[in-house]
Amino acid sequence: MAATRVRSTRLVWVGFGLTALLVATVLVQALRRPEDPESGFDADFVALALTSAAVLVAVFAVGAFTRRIGLDLRGGFAWVVGAVSLLLGLVPWWVLTAGNAELAAALYRGLQVPQGIIPLWDLTLVMKSIDCASYGFDVFAEGNGCLQDPAIYGPGVLWLQYVPFGFFSADRVDLLGVLAMLVSSLALVWLARASEGIGQVVLLIAAIGAPWQLLLERGNVEAALLWGACAAVILVRRWDRLWAWWLAAAVIWFLGTWKYYPFAMGLMLIPALRLRRGWTVLVGYAVATAVFMALAWESFQFSSSSNTAMVDIRDLVVLGRVPVVARMLGGEVGTGIHAADIIVFAAALAAVAWGVAVGLATRRRLMHPAMLAIGGSATFLAPVLVAGFGWAYKAPLLLLCVPLAAALVRSARGALVASSVVVLALIAICSFVVVNTMLATLSGVVAASFCAGLAAVLLVRAVRPARQATA
């Protein structure tokens, strides 16, 4: 037993070190690239890479020497997190809608949130799409006669037009926006209550951070992904029955019809295999997803091309592999896979292996936190790492990983505590930084990849005893 513990601890440190080495390789490549104003690369990017290097070296170094953290917070602290989120979201919006644009702009600048053209800008566009669709316009067509630009969301968003009393319409934007801020803040409270003390601190940092406040200010539908993941776990934790898992699958599938990449949240359904006929949930979800994608393939291609067209390597709430690679030696925007891409993917794979090693080294059964983590990490990595680009709206999805990452901070094994501290620090960085694409993206990709590997091990472990007992 002792020998096994030693081997598992060594594997954790190997994953830790390999991930740090590959992250350093990315930064070195960025520092080596010569200035080239014609391609949009300038000396500012080198300075940002230096800042990224200093911060990430500090994070991995401090984590490596951390063996124990004891931080106990009162239960009411979770409500402080939610109150801060709601207050910072509502006050600037209220000031802006009251007509004091200068004060609102000052508040948004203080929060590092780029102010939209109009309040709740993204939500307004979605509601206008729904209204236009209800009038019979093809909102996905160029020059459709109702919208200035074709809608870039999936067809599932338009199904909201069938909700009675026209609840989802442009006339209800302010009401829906305030409700979204309230529900998002309550989701933070729930996540904080499910997290250890240091995890609650990370969530408080996120509530103040520009990515979260940008999500609230725009009324972006990405927030619904976080609600859906939390709702699915609450549902199956309360009623661990086949019908509850089917309902959770339906919620996740519906969110996937909005933006496609949320279909990756289907990984949260793996524990359904514990139940008799639980396999029908996963098979049904996979079939429904495949049928929808086949029917909406043209819309998916348009949405993907629209996302690619928005790629900008400047530092303004940008996340993604593509803008990071554009800053590395030999990387160019939109010209295929390069060696620089391979290094970024290698760093992500190393972080996955690191997370797997941590999962194998712990005996704790954390099925529900693992469900949240696999959902959050998958929906983050799909656009940011795989597709290569995503605005800062994606950063809040990492908050679903906090309960799982924070659960290991009280472990008796230093390697697990060190891993937990580093990953929580990376989530905090990605949740707060908006003007350094290199730092925010690397932090988010490493944290998400680690949590994906850790959660996968824990979910498989949760399924295996139940399947063996059934057999």
Side-chain angles (χ1 to χ4, degrees):
M1 179 66 71
T4 301
R5 286 173 59 88
V6 170
R7 283 196 298 270
S8 62
T9 299
R10 286 176 179 172
L11 285 176
V12 172
W13 284 120
V14 168
F16 183 103
L18 183 59
T19 302
L21 178 62
L22 287 168
V23 168
T25 303
V26 172
L27 292 168
V28 168
Q29 290 291 80
L31 291 171
R32 289 178 58 197
R33 179 166 178 174
E35 183 177 344
D36 183 11
E38 291 186 3
S39 67
F41 188 88
D42 56 35
D44 289 343
F45 291 161
V46 175
L48 292 167
L50 282 171
T51 300
S52 302
V55 172
L56 293 175
V57 165
V59 167
F60 277 91
V62 170
F65 287 98
T66 302
R67 290 295 177 271
R68 198 139 187 101
I69 290 184
L71 180 61
D72 294 314
L73 297 172
R74 292 182 178 273
F77 188 82
W79 291 100
V80 172
V81 174
V84 169
S85 165
L86 186 60
L87 183 67
L88 293 181
L90 280 178
V91 170
W93 168 83
W94 179 78
V95 170
L96 182 59
T97 55
N100 196 334
E102 291 185 4
L103 177 57
L107 291 172
Y108 283 126
R109 281 197 301 271
L111 293 169
Q112 293 190 331
V113 173
Q115 183 181 348
I117 297 175
I118 57 177
L120 302 170
W121 185 15
D122 291 353
L123 183 61
T124 299
L125 294 177
V126 173
M127 293 302 111
K128 285 183 177 179
S129 298
I130 293 173
D131 286 347
C132 289
S134 68
Y135 300 147
F137 291 94
D138 180 3
V139 297
F140 301 112
E142 191 76 39
N144 54 65
C146 190
L147 296 175
Q148 181 177 350
D149 299 303
I152 62 174
Y153 295 98
V157 171
L158 303 183
W159 300 344
L160 295 175
Q161 67 183 289
Y162 302 113
V163 175
F165 310 113
F167 186 74
F168 292 98
S169 70
D171 294 335
R172 306 286 180 87
V173 166
D174 287 337
L175 173 62
L176 293 172
V178 171
L179 286 176
M181 293 181 194
L182 177 60
V183 175
S184 296
S185 299
L186 288 174
L188 275 193
V189 172
W190 185 80
L191 289 173
R193 289 171 64 87
S195 302
E196 292 282 351
I198 188 174
Q200 295 183 9
V201 173
V202 171
L203 291 168
L204 178 61
I205 292 172
I208 300 171
W212 180 262
Q213 290 302 322
L214 177 69
L215 191 76
L216 301 186
E217 188 271 337
R218 299 289 167 89
N220 193 271
V221 297
E222 307 281 351
L225 306 185
L226 189 138
W227 309 342
C230 293
V233 170
I234 292 171
L235 179 66
V236 300
R237 188 173 66 177
R238 176 64 180 84
W239 295 283
D240 193 11
R241 300 290 186 271
L242 193 62
W243 67 265
W245 285 95
W246 270 105
L247 183 55
V251 170
I252 294 171
W253 180 85
F254 180 56
L255 292 173
T257 66
W258 291 14
K259 304 200 74 174
Y260 306 106
Y261 72 86
F263 282 129
M265 290 173 65
L267 293 170
M268 296 177 65
L269 303 173
I270 290 175
L273 295 173
R274 297 159 40 254
L275 306 179
R276 187 179 181 183
R277 292 190 295 275
W279 60 270
T280 60
V281 176
L282 278 81
V283 171
Y285 180 85
V287 171
T289 299
V291 169
F292 177 82
M293 289 298 295
L295 295 175
W297 186 248
E298 291 185 5
S299 176
F300 168 71
Q301 289 181 308
F302 173 75
S303 180
S304 299
S305 63
S306 299
N307 189 59
T308 302
M310 290 189 291
V311 170
D312 182 357
I313 66 172
R314 306 306 302 184
D315 281 278
L316 184 63
V317 296
V318 175
L319 286 171
R321 170 181 51 83
V322 170
V324 167
V325 168
R327 300 170 189 216
M328 298 169 64
L329 186 64
E332 300 294 341
V333 175
T335 55
I337 299 296
H338 291 267
D341 291 282
I342 295 174
I343 298 173
V344 176
F345 280 119
L349 289 175
V352 170
W354 175 23
V356 168
V358 171
L360 295 174
T362 181
R363 295 291 94 193
R364 296 190 62 182
R365 299 188 181 278
L366 301 163
M367 188 183 81
H368 295 116
M371 287 176 61
L372 290 170
I374 200 77
S377 59
T379 48
F380 180 90
L381 291 172
V384 174
L385 178 65
V386 179
F389 184 81
W391 296 104
Y393 308 128
K394 307 299 185 293
L397 297 173
L398 287 179
L399 302 183
L400 294 170
C401 299
V402 170
L404 179 60
L408 300 177
V409 78
R410 294 185 183 275
S411 174
R413 303 171 70 176
L416 303 191
V417 176
S419 300
S420 176
V421 169
V422 169
V423 170
L424 287 171
L426 294 177
I427 293 174
I429 290 170
C430 189
S431 300
F432 196 83
V433 173
V434 294
V435 291
N436 190 329
T437 292
M438 183 71 71
L439 178 57
T441 299
L442 286 178
S443 298
V445 166
V446 169
S449 300
F450 170 91
C451 291
L454 172 59
V457 171
L458 296 177
L459 292 179
V460 170
R461 181 179 297 162
V463 169
R464 187 181 300 164
R467 299 299 296 175
Q468 291 174 344
T470 302

